[in-house]
Amino acid sequence: MENINEFIPVAIGILFLVAFWIIIRRLLKSISDRINNAELYREDTLNVLEEIRDELKELNKNNSLK
């Protein structure tokens, strides 16, 4: 019985470290996902703006020919 009582503080410490590691890992993964999503959003926005620019160039070219 004494052996079990000696290991309880060690087990609680290990569980605390594991829980702390899981929380830190999830926070870092969340931050990483947000950064990746922001980069994807930026790329999509740039693609849309390039398409709009190309369409405006073509419209301007068609209007100048008339």
Side-chain angles (χ1 to χ4, degrees), residues 48-65:
V48 169
L49 289 174
E50 287 174 358
E51 289 176 15
I52 292 170
R53 181 195 64 199
D54 293 341
E55 288 180 17
L56 288 173
K57 280 183 181 179
E58 182 144 344
L59 285 172
N60 193 20
K61 183 179 175 183
N62 290 342
N63 285 337
S64 65
L65 291 176

Side-chain angles (χ1 to χ4, degrees), residues 9-50:
V10 174
I12 290 173
I14 292 172
L15 288 175
F16 176 75
L17 288 174
V18 169
F20 183 72
W21 172 250
I22 290 171
I23 291 169
I24 294 297
R25 192 168 154 225
R26 285 188 182 177
L27 286 173
L28 292 176
K29 186 179 182 318
S30 174
I31 292 169
S32 175
D33 289 346
R34 286 186 183 191
I35 291 170
N36 290 337
N37 287 340
E39 289 175 3
L40 291 175
Y41 177 76
R42 181 178 156 262
E43 289 176 11
D44 289 344
T45 303
L46 286 175
N47 288 337
V48 169
L49 289 174
E50 287 174 358

